[in-house]
Amino acid sequence: MQHDNVIFDLIEKERQRQRSGLELIASENYTSKQVMQAMGSVLTNKYAEGLPHKRYYGGCEVVDEIEDLAIARAKELYGAAWANVQPHSGAQANAAVMLGVLNAGDTILGFDLSHGGHLTHGSAVNFSGKLYKPAFYGVEEGTGTIDWDKLRDKAREVKPKLIICGASAYSRDWDYEHLRATADEVGALLLADISHPSGLIARGLLNDPLEYCHIITTTTHKTLRGPRGGLIMMGENFDNPWGRKTPKGIIKKMSAILDGAVFPGTQGGPLEHVIGAKAVAFGEALSEEFLHYVIQVQKNARVMADAFVHRGYKLISGGTDNHMMLIDLRNKGITGKGAEQALVKADITTNKNMVPFDDKSPFVTSGIRVGTAAITTRGLKEDDMEKIVGLIDRIIQAPEDEDNLAAVKQEVNAWMSQYPLYESATRETV
Ligand code: DSN
């Protein structure tokens, strides 16, 4: 078969883009080579509908071993009682949970998308807002943080069957204990979608949702630094939300419901090549090296947040506990879209983002979201954060000055060439 140089030349172009720029998108990271090797392996050829040792296809002995290992490592990493590693993404994981525990038309209470929530937490344009009846909590205008008592009042008012905590753009930690008390009071299940801070939670740097939440979903490719994919877990403490008494075997019963909601409920064949890569990533995340990595991610974010504040930028909530920050650019006379576009010309990648109480549309926005997961993998440390903020500030001050954009780009490219990444070319010689 002829080698597809059209596609491989484009992959090579993307490799060069990733190597030469400053990657600040809070949901992105650089996986290890072995994670990518597992994804690009013969495992992609195998159909394995069902669960390990209970498949609908023959020849699954090897993928059973791989999926067993992925599950065991996920459980060890998070201290979970049960895990399903098959969701293709975080959105799929959330869809499966909702299918498993809700009926169409049930009320769900999630974090408002325009305040930092996620599409799958009840947005009107998503299945979660179409199939279920969404209600939302948000942040306070003054503090930029969630008021847990107000959230409880909202739950008392709307009586949800499911409360969803977790966000795409919230830089503070979550009070899972308070949320669980609220869920218990109103008879709701509590789902934590920890996709963003997943790696920091895994290594104990933030509050542990498994202690209090009934169900946990996460992606595996953000701070966890694995392949693109999803994961569902339950902790040891799952009890019956519809009554205080914990019936025997509830984990088993709920896990059967959730397993069935993934397959055949919402998915067909699992992606065993991605599950293999998840197993590799979970193994990496259990290492001492990963612990140092996530500690550095958090340190870098704090230093970066301080540097932005020092230069007069308005951070929602004033700072960060995790790996990201949301910046309101309205006092800088530039929109989120304008900033994203100008920064990318200098090979600094961020994403425009709505800020709470935004007066602009999601296509324009008043803010940008910035995260430290990828640049920390690259090897950057606290001292480098001030330099990054300085470069961003130079662009925000003069976003249309082409000479300035070119000068910053040159500086970024020269700087990043000192931090090796994916050294070998992807194009096969023909
Ligand atoms: N798109 C992801 C993010 O950037 O946060 C969430 O799904």
Side-chain angles (χ1 to χ4, degrees):
M1 186 138 345
Q2 202 183 344
H3 193 252
D4 191 342
N5 285 334
V6 176
I7 289 299
F8 280 93
D9 283 352
L10 286 170
I11 294 174
E12 177 57 20
K13 226 167 144 180
E14 173 61 12
R15 185 178 74 95
Q16 294 298 349
R17 187 195 69 81
Q18 291 187 16
R19 280 157 55 88
S20 57
L22 263 173
E23 183 52 73
L24 296 173
I25 292 179
S27 48
E28 293 191 13
N29 212 329
Y30 302 110
T31 71
S32 69
K33 267 230 153 121
Q34 56 176 353
V35 163
M36 282 195 271
Q37 277 162 353
M39 272 191 286
S41 72
V42 293
L43 297 177
T44 194
N45 298 329
K46 190 69 197 104
Y47 248 120
E49 283 179 6
L51 287 167
H53 318 287
K54 278 178 264 169
R55 307 281 192 184
Y56 290 86
Y57 289 82
C60 290
E61 299 76 17
V62 180
V63 293
D64 279 355
E65 276 189 61
I66 289 170
E67 194 166 331
D68 276 343
L69 262 174
I71 293 167
R73 288 181 182 178
K75 284 162 68 176
E76 185 185 347
L77 181 62
Y78 289 93
W82 167 87
N84 183 307
V85 296
Q86 293 191 357
H88 302 330
S89 67
Q92 291 289 122
N94 288 340
V97 170
M98 290 184 208
L99 182 79
V101 304
L102 297 172
N103 290 312
D106 280 351
T107 299
I108 59 176
L109 178 61
F111 189 29
D112 194 332
L113 179 64
S114 68
H115 284 210
H118 190 254
L119 273 174
T120 56
H121 300 178
S123 164
V125 294
N126 181 259
F127 78 90
S128 55
K130 289 179 193 285
L131 295 181
Y132 309 107
K133 201 171 144 206
F136 298 101
Y137 56 90
V139 300
E140 297 303 298
E141 198 157 8
T143 60
T145 58
I146 297 165
D147 180 325
W148 308 110
D149 291 335
K150 282 198 179 161
L151 190 161
R152 184 195 52 213
D153 294 344
K154 187 78 187 174
R156 284 176 178 162
E157 178 197 326
V158 302
K159 298 200 174 14
K161 282 273 166 53
L162 182 71
I163 298 175
I164 308 162
C165 57
S168 287
Y170 188 61
S171 60
R172 295 302 183 179
D173 207 350
W174 293 74
D175 189 343
Y176 301 113
E177 188 177 3
H178 196 298
L179 283 158
R180 177 58 188 262
T182 298
D184 282 346
E185 184 188 324
V186 301
L189 277 173
L190 180 60
L191 165 66
D193 178 347
I194 60 166
S195 292
H196 264 273
S198 197
L200 277 65
I201 286 171
R203 298 311 302 262
L205 303 187
L206 292 167
N207 294 337
D208 182 8
L210 278 109
E211 238 181 276
Y212 296 103
C213 303
H214 295 106
I215 304 169
I216 286 85
T217 54
T218 180
T219 51
T220 49
H221 50 272
K222 296 185 174 91
T223 49
L224 192 57
R225 208 164 61 178
R228 215 150 261 289
L231 167 68
I232 309 176
M233 294 176 285
M234 280 189 291
E236 298 285 354
N237 75 333
F238 190 104
D239 62 8
N240 183 2
W242 301 283
R244 302 295 300 203
K245 215 161 149 258
T246 306
K248 276 207 162 64
I250 189 78
I251 291 270
K252 207 166 165 210
K253 196 169 149 199
M254 269 314 296
S255 61
I257 291 171
L258 294 175
D259 280 334
V262 174
F263 171 84
T266 49
Q267 292 188 173
L271 309 177
E272 291 297 338
H273 56 305
V274 179
I275 290 172
K278 285 174 186 170
V280 173
F282 298 148
E284 289 178 351
L286 282 160
S287 69
E288 196 64 18
E289 195 185 329
F290 188 83
L291 175 61
H292 293 309
Y293 161 68
V294 279
I295 289 172
Q296 191 64 51
V297 167
Q298 201 177 34
K299 275 189 195 160
N300 282 352
R302 285 176 181 168
V303 173
M304 182 182 271
D306 286 347
F308 272 118
V309 170
H310 191 67
R311 284 177 184 265
Y313 284 83
K314 186 174 177 267
L315 266 57
I316 304 303
S317 89
T320 182
D321 295 330
N322 53 34
H323 63 297
M324 69 153 84
M325 58 217 77
L326 182 57
I327 306 167
D328 185 341
L329 293 169
R330 282 178 286 197
N331 65 342
K332 295 286 176 183
I334 188 168
T335 64
K337 183 180 175 186
E340 179 195 297
Q341 286 177 347
L343 288 164
V344 94
K345 286 186 187 162
D347 284 349
I348 300 173
T349 321
T350 61
N351 65 280
K352 61 178 173 290
N353 214 100
M354 298 281 280
V355 295
F357 311 99
D358 209 324
D359 54 335
K360 299 189 185 66
S361 82
F363 299 105
V364 179
T365 82
S366 294
I368 51 169
R369 188 186 61 163
V370 176
T372 55
I375 48 167
T376 306
T377 297
R378 202 78 200 257
L380 301 189
K381 299 273 190 316
E382 290 96 314
D383 286 350
D384 302 310
M385 299 303 116
E386 170 60 38
K387 182 168 170 184
I388 292 175
V389 173
L391 291 168
I392 291 175
D393 193 41
R394 267 166 70 188
I395 301 287
I396 303 286
Q397 303 269 1
E400 275 154 31
D401 179 342
E402 294 295 334
D403 291 341
N404 179 45
L405 294 175
V408 175
K409 177 177 155 68
Q410 204 174 22
E411 207 172 310
V412 167
N413 296 160
W415 190 22
M416 286 302 100
S417 69
Q418 295 162 29
Y419 291 87
L421 179 81
Y422 306 142
E423 287 301 284
S424 50
T426 45
R427 189 190 203 277
E428 195 178 285
T429 28
V430 284

